[in-house]
């Protein structure tokens, strides 16, 4: 330990709770420590220590590290310069960097008691969600009651989903919109991107995000997100919200999984002609094949896609974007 380290300056003004400020002082003054050591030394419940170090990590003031020959994860304090660099890098890696700068959350947040605060604006709520996405380690749950997404919110969500899934974070989304075609494709998600596990319902009871079963966010007013979100870290409340999600997830419909197929050049040509309104006879003449070959090709496609008639075949091909609608030909 550092025997003569200078006393750490309070960082309450930057947003940490009193618990996080106390943990930051301990780390900055007496070097690294595990969460268990911090709990014992400070006489603070482990749950509050975990919340404190998560908040310090979000602000770039502390970082977890492992050391050779020692067991466990240690929390290490960062200097103000390192913290500024860390938060700058985190913001560049999040969707917010592609648009406007992340607004200061703390200036628009009101503490309502232990484990509960009001993020008073929509911008503050988004900024906090960006922070939480950057910190997520295990699981991200979401409920979306909107029949249509707002472009301002949906475009950053595409990048956040990609970041979570690329890190191996489990994602489950419950919504009212059908999953095919992908409701996020108009907002920049390519068909090659991984997608969260998705279930749909006729009605979803609330807007909700739960990160790592530790933090939950939901609108103060369900019909007016401009009034901001509540952020809850009380374990009993978060657990109740997770149970609420799981109950509705169990009742939701699993998104259909479409088998991946590849069309031959002949199949591509034939389905394109039929989509433009050709009859079997005119398509056969155009391709210089027999009517029997047309029938054979269509029957083969129906069998591969598991459909029973040509109408269903057209829908199945359209869903997979294997044939474009007539106006795009």
């Amino acid at each position: 330990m550092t025997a003569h380290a200078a006393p750490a300056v309070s960082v309450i003004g930057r947003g940490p709770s009193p618990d996080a400020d106390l943990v930051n002082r301990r780390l900055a003054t007496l070097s690294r420590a595990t969460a268990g050591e911090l709990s014992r030394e400070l006489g603070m419940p482990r749950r509050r220590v975990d919340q404190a170090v998560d908040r310090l990590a979000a602000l770039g003031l502390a970082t977890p590290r492992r050391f050779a020959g020692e067991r466990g994860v240690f929390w290490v304090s960062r200097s103000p310069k390192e913290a500024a660099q860390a938060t700058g890098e985190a913001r560049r890696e999040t969707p917010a960097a592609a648009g406007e700068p992340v607004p200061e959350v703390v200036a628009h947040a009101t503490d309502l008691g232990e484990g509960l605060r009001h993020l008073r604006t929509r911008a503050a709520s988004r900024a906090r969600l960006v922070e939480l996405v950057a910190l997520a380690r295990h699981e991200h749950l979401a409920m979306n009651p909107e029949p249509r997404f707002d472009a301002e919110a949906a475009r950053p969500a595409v990048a956040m989903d990609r970041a979570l899934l690329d890190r191996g974070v489990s994602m489950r989304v419950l919504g009212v919109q059908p999953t095919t075609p992908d409701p996020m494709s108009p907002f920049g998600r390519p068909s090659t991107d991984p997608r969260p596990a998705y279930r749909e319902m006729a009605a979803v009871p609330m807007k909700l995000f739960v990160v790592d079963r530790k933090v939950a966010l939901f609108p103060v007013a369900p019909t007016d997100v401009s009034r901001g979100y509540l952020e809850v870290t009380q374990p009993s409340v978060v657990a109740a919200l997770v149970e609420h999600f799981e109950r509705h997830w169990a009742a939701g419909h699993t998104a259909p999984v479409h088998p991946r197929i590849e069309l031959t050049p002949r199949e591509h040509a034939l389905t394109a002609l039929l989509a433009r309104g050709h009859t079997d006879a005119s398509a056969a003449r155009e391709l210089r094949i027999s009517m029997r070959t047309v029938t054979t090709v269509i029957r083969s496609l129906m069998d591969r896609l598991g459909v029973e008639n040509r109408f269903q075949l057209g829908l199945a091909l359209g869903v997979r974007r294997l044939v474009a609608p007539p106006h795009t030909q």
Side-chain angles (χ1 to χ4, degrees):
M1 293 186 179
T2 305
H4 303 290
V9 177
S10 172
V11 291
I12 283 287
R14 295 188 58 183
S17 64
D19 284 350
D21 186 59
L22 180 60
V23 169
N24 182 66
R25 288 169 178 266
R26 158 62 183 81
L27 292 174
T29 305
L30 297 174
S31 187
R32 70 193 188 200
T34 65
E37 290 171 343
L38 291 169
S39 177
R40 290 191 296 272
E41 291 177 19
L42 301 175
M44 188 183 298
R46 176 62 182 268
R47 171 180 58 81
R48 287 168 54 188
V49 169
D50 288 341
Q51 292 172 353
V53 292
D54 281 349
R55 184 61 184 145
L56 292 174
L59 293 170
L61 295 168
T63 185
R65 290 181 185 168
R66 291 185 180 273
F67 294 91
E70 299 193 52
R71 297 180 60 185
V73 175
F74 289 80
W75 286 92
V76 178
S77 179
R78 279 175 162 158
S79 68
K81 182 177 180 181
E82 290 173 329
Q85 291 174 341
T87 52
E89 290 170 0
R91 287 177 180 176
R92 283 195 296 273
E93 293 171 357
T94 61
E100 297 180 358
V102 177
E104 175 57 53
V105 175
V106 177
H108 300 285
T110 302
D111 286 325
L112 302 177
E114 183 179 349
L116 182 66
R117 66 175 179 164
H118 178 199
L119 304 168
R120 298 198 307 272
T121 68
R122 192 176 187 185
S125 304
R126 285 182 185 157
R128 180 55 175 150
L129 184 59
V130 167
E131 286 185 330
L132 293 173
V133 164
L135 291 172
R137 302 169 188 171
H138 308 293
E139 181 184 61
H140 183 89
L141 308 177
M143 296 175 78
N144 294 321
E146 307 97 318
R148 288 178 300 277
F149 289 132
D150 169 61
E152 187 180 355
R155 288 194 180 95
V158 170
M160 285 193 282
D161 287 358
R162 185 186 303 119
L164 287 165
L165 292 168
D166 285 349
R167 292 206 310 272
V169 175
S170 170
M171 285 192 72
R172 286 186 287 158
V173 178
L174 184 63
V176 299
Q177 298 187 48
T179 190
T180 51
D182 180 3
M184 301 302 283
S185 61
F187 308 105
R189 180 155 68 195
S191 59
T192 53
D193 262 18
R195 294 174 58 182
Y198 183 89
R199 291 187 181 181
E200 56 188 79
M201 300 183 70
V204 171
M206 67 185 295
K207 183 78 171 177
L208 175 67
F209 302 100
V210 183
V211 180
D212 285 344
R213 305 200 173 207
K214 291 182 179 180
V215 186
L217 296 177
F218 55 89
V220 172
T223 59
D224 186 6
V225 294
S226 66
R227 294 174 62 182
Y229 279 59
L230 285 178
E231 177 183 333
V232 182
T233 54
Q234 296 174 9
S236 59
V237 178
V238 175
L241 290 169
V242 170
E243 182 182 356
H244 183 64
F245 176 91
E246 296 288 6
R247 186 166 60 253
H248 286 85
W249 177 261
H253 302 290
T254 303
V257 177
H258 301 297
R260 182 177 180 85
I261 69 167
E262 298 288 342
L263 298 189
T264 66
R266 174 179 285 178
E267 289 169 339
H268 267 299
L270 177 58
T271 54
L273 287 172
L274 295 176
R276 292 206 298 267
H278 277 262
T279 64
D280 285 7
S282 64
R285 287 194 301 271
E286 186 79 17
L287 297 176
R288 297 183 180 182
I289 58 178
S290 68
M291 286 280 291
R292 177 175 293 180
T293 300
V294 170
T295 302
T296 300
V297 170
I298 295 299
R299 184 70 260 174
S300 173
L301 282 172
M302 290 169 60
D303 290 342
R304 285 159 62 194
L305 291 169
V307 298
E308 298 178 356
N309 55 55
R310 292 195 177 203
F311 177 74
Q312 293 175 355
L313 177 62
L315 290 178
L317 291 171
V319 161
R320 292 165 178 79
R321 299 186 181 183
L322 295 175
V323 61
H327 67 275
T328 65
Q329 296 286 337

